[in-house]
Amino acid sequence: MEVSYWGVGLSSLVVVAVIAIARYLRLGITLELANVSVRVFFQLLLMGYVLTYVLNAEHPLVIFFILVGMVVYGAYTVSRRESMVRRAFWITFISISAGIFLTLGIILLGQVIELKAYTIIPVVSMIISNSMNGVNVMMDRLKGEIRSQKQQIEAALCLGASAKEATEELVRTAIRASFIPTLNRALTVGIVTLPGSMSGMIFAGINPLAAVKYQMLIEYVIIGSAAISIFCSAFLSYREFFTKELQLRE
Amino acid sequence: MSKIRLEKASFQRKSGDSTASIFAEITLEIQKQEIVCLLGPSGSGKSTLLRCINRLGELSSGHVWIDDRSIFDLPPQELRRRVGMVLQTPSLFDLTVWENISYGLRLKGASPADQQKRARELIRLVGLDEQLLTREALSLSIGQQQRVSIARTLANDPEVLLLDEITSALDPQSARIIEDLILLIRDQLGKTIILVTHSMHTAKRVADRIALLMNGRLVEYVETERFFSHPEQEETKQFLAAFMAEEGAEWK
């Protein structure tokens, strides 16, 4: 069954109601909600037209450039939010790329899925979204921990600790926190939540068992790539809070 | 040969497009095993100057020499082991007292036996019961925590000790215990000590020499006795007069 633009418009009324409530409660997020809602519409519309062309792409280089473009946009989005962490764009870009290319590399090498745009791009989009969340929480939490534990960090530096030694425990705390969304998602999948991709496949008439197998693969890849992105961003982020003389940046 | 020499040390804080001078052109020498107190009103640059000696902060210009060796020639980690610093708040880690004291030794790879031996020696030196070693450090009183913090810094066996307002959060009795401890550390362990304080009482009791900083300038640097009895500079006289007017009757 095809959804009409009338149906999309009807569903957007819920968001309009949320915006109205946010405005009434003076939450200060009205503009951001409105901006996000409009962006969802145009981004997906654009993606629909692009996908029509892209999903038929066969050449690996075309697929590669599309993936790079997706990662760049994801990194840009996170880095705008995490402007207090130096080089946030590059840290996010490298971390998400590492997560994607390692996990995707394994499943492509194992020939679990084909190197075709219509299989790779949907999987990567799910990976990026989860990795972005993980990296975002990681940087945000680490920044908060370092700010609140400034005294302890300086005490450790005074005792001859390196930047890594002085922030070891804080990095661990930030990593644990950034795993929570991914773990919660994995714990409830199939029981509380039906993932969008699986629901979509079932809507499209695919056998639920076949859809489930595909979803299992996606879930494992999501956990793996989110974990790699989180570790990678933790490894790259903590250094950015220190000068080369091991002083905490202001 | 002096132990520490500051030569035209200056520090400017950058905030956006503007820069503010925190202290400028400070030159002074500190002898081995001397206790020097940096005194002055809030915002005079005392703590920032102290932080620049072990490079927690970075001088904008000028030099600091330890035993005639520039601090900029030493890797920061080695410098901070040689020039230990105790912060205003104890800032202990959420670990046991023993783990706190032996933190620096663990970083250097000392054996557990050596760590324990040193922790026992130091907890006795700072006047605390050995039984406290297994207690959670953050469960101790602030006065006890500050003594553990001093023991933790001494574990690295630094040649120079920087103490940043370490009695400011303590009650008078605890402050007096810490003052006695500062004198003991100099007399028994032979450390050179630079102390930042707001307390005239502490300065008079423990310092050999006092450096008065006002608005980031070194106004006077003389022996403690002379500082209080025959200050040379007009600003020092005004500073002491203002203090006497506030605390006069209690000041001995």
Side-chain angles (χ1 to χ4, degrees):
Chain A
M1 185 182 81
E2 194 168 322
V3 178
S4 63
Y5 279 110
W6 156 247
V8 174
L10 192 66
S11 66
S12 73
L13 285 180
V14 180
V15 183
V16 173
V18 171
I19 291 172
I21 294 168
R23 190 176 161 80
Y24 177 72
L25 294 175
R26 293 186 206 155
L27 298 180
I29 55 168
T30 315
L31 265 181
E32 193 169 7
L33 274 174
N35 181 25
V36 163
S37 314
V38 174
R39 277 175 67 163
V40 163
F41 181 83
F42 283 107
Q43 278 171 201
L44 287 178
L45 191 65
L46 179 70
M47 188 50 100
Y49 285 114
V50 172
L51 281 179
T52 312
Y53 162 74
V54 160
L55 289 184
N56 292 321
E58 294 279 340
H59 200 288
L61 259 184
V62 175
I63 300 174
F64 175 78
F65 282 119
I66 293 167
L67 297 188
V68 170
M70 290 164 78
V71 177
V72 166
Y73 190 69
Y76 170 72
T77 310
V78 173
S79 66
R80 279 191 57 192
R81 207 171 276 284
E82 291 307 321
S83 56
M84 293 300 282
V85 177
R86 291 172 81 242
R87 298 185 234 233
F89 173 80
W90 287 110
I91 292 173
T92 315
F93 179 77
I94 293 168
S95 305
I96 296 178
S97 302
I100 290 173
F101 290 110
L102 275 173
T103 49
L104 208 59
I106 290 169
I107 55 173
L108 282 176
L109 280 177
Q111 296 184 325
V112 181
I113 57 171
E114 284 180 282
L115 182 58
K116 300 274 186 199
Y118 69 86
T119 52
I120 299 286
I121 290 172
V123 173
V124 167
S125 74
M126 284 179 272
I127 293 177
I128 291 183
S129 129
N130 282 275
S131 292
M132 269 171 65
N133 285 341
V135 171
N136 204 146
V137 175
M138 171 35 236
M139 286 180 169
D140 189 53
R141 186 62 185 259
L142 186 61
K143 194 171 68 189
E145 290 287 328
I146 286 178
R147 266 190 194 160
S148 67
Q149 304 286 322
K150 186 174 178 252
Q151 290 275 334
Q152 267 76 8
I153 295 172
E154 291 205 325
L157 293 175
C158 285
L159 295 166
S162 63
K164 179 172 177 275
E165 288 158 340
T167 52
E168 218 162 32
E169 202 46 52
L170 310 182
V171 170
R172 269 194 210 111
T173 307
I175 289 178
R176 273 196 295 270
S178 50
F179 262 96
I180 292 172
T182 307
L183 293 180
N184 278 350
R185 183 196 142 83
L187 282 172
T188 55
V189 72
I191 300 172
V192 181
T193 59
L194 282 185
S197 60
M198 194 174 90
S199 309
M201 286 167 86
I202 295 170
F203 267 151
I206 304 270
N207 179 336
L209 276 179
V212 160
K213 266 197 279 178
Y214 189 71
Q215 191 57 41
M216 282 174 184
L217 179 140
I218 289 171
E219 288 301 327
Y220 290 134
V221 169
I222 282 176
I223 295 171
S225 58
I228 292 167
S229 300
I230 289 167
F231 292 142
C232 196
S233 63
F235 180 75
L236 295 172
S237 296
Y238 79 86
R239 299 151 192 266
E240 296 299 330
F241 293 91
F242 295 87
T243 65
K244 69 177 192 309
E245 292 84 16
L246 292 181
Q247 293 150 356
L248 260 181
R249 289 184 194 280
E250 299 270 319
Chain B
M1 184 177 81
S2 54
K3 184 71 190 171
I4 304 167
R5 189 156 52 90
L6 275 76
E7 199 179 283
K8 293 188 173 177
S10 304
F11 182 89
Q12 292 179 329
R13 180 161 287 136
K14 290 191 180 90
S15 170
D17 291 338
S18 62
T19 52
S21 173
I22 305 300
F23 58 82
E25 305 269 312
I26 291 185
T27 299
L28 57 84
E29 289 191 16
I30 296 164
Q31 302 305 318
K32 195 166 185 237
Q33 296 188 23
E34 198 174 22
I35 301 178
V36 166
C37 180
L38 303 182
L39 208 59
S42 295
S44 56
K46 312 179 295 289
S47 290
T48 311
L49 177 61
L50 204 66
R51 289 165 62 85
C52 287
I53 297 174
N54 79 345
R55 295 188 79 188
L56 271 191
E58 195 76 340
L59 287 180
S60 309
S61 63
H63 262 90
V64 179
W65 311 82
I66 311 275
D67 287 334
D68 276 349
R69 192 168 174 196
S70 168
I71 58 167
F72 303 114
D73 292 341
L74 288 165
Q77 285 172 272
E78 191 191 326
L79 171 72
R80 288 168 192 161
R81 286 187 180 119
R82 289 178 63 179
V83 181
M85 183 168 181
V86 183
L87 305 171
Q88 185 174 3
T89 53
S91 311
L92 296 182
F93 309 125
D94 192 7
L95 302 166
T96 63
V97 171
W98 177 76
E99 288 166 321
N100 266 281
I101 296 178
S102 57
Y103 182 85
L105 296 173
R106 263 201 315 284
L107 294 181
K108 283 198 282 191
S111 70
D114 282 348
Q115 290 176 33
Q116 274 203 347
K117 184 169 165 269
R118 191 90 178 106
R120 284 212 182 85
E121 285 168 9
L122 287 168
I123 199 150
R124 278 199 298 268
L125 181 89
V126 298
L128 293 173
D129 196 314
E130 263 189 52
Q131 288 182 333
L132 292 181
L133 281 172
T134 52
R135 281 265 298 271
E136 288 300 318
L138 300 180
S139 70
L140 304 181
S141 72
I142 291 292
Q144 287 174 321
Q145 286 191 33
Q146 197 56 290
R147 283 194 268 173
V148 172
S149 172
I150 293 170
R152 180 175 69 172
T153 303
L154 289 174
N156 272 343
D157 198 18
E159 301 155 36
V160 177
L161 208 53
L162 309 174
L163 308 176
D164 187 10
E165 298 193 41
I166 61 170
T167 56
S168 65
L170 307 181
D171 59 80
Q173 196 189 349
S174 303
R176 207 168 169 85
I177 292 172
I178 297 283
E179 288 163 12
D180 289 339
L181 184 56
I182 294 170
L183 291 167
L184 182 86
I185 291 167
R186 190 269 304 273
D187 297 339
Q188 275 196 14
L189 306 179
K191 309 289 180 199
T192 306
I193 297 171
I194 309 180
L195 171 77
V196 163
T197 184
H198 274 115
S199 164
M200 221 72 104
H201 298 271
T202 304
K204 192 172 189 187
R205 256 199 95 209
V206 304
D208 297 312
R209 282 201 279 179
I210 291 178
L212 178 66
L213 267 71
M214 305 275 269
N215 300 318
R217 286 179 305 107
L218 180 62
V219 172
E220 185 140 2
Y221 182 42
V222 289
E223 291 76 25
T224 305
E225 175 60 35
R226 209 166 128 207
F227 180 85
F228 287 106
S229 57
H230 301 97
E232 281 176 20
Q233 305 300 321
E234 199 49 44
E235 279 174 286
T236 311
K237 290 173 190 166
Q238 285 172 8
F239 177 74
L240 288 170
F243 173 75
M244 293 296 281
E246 214 170 281
E247 285 208 26
E250 290 172 39
W251 177 250
K252 291 170 199 161

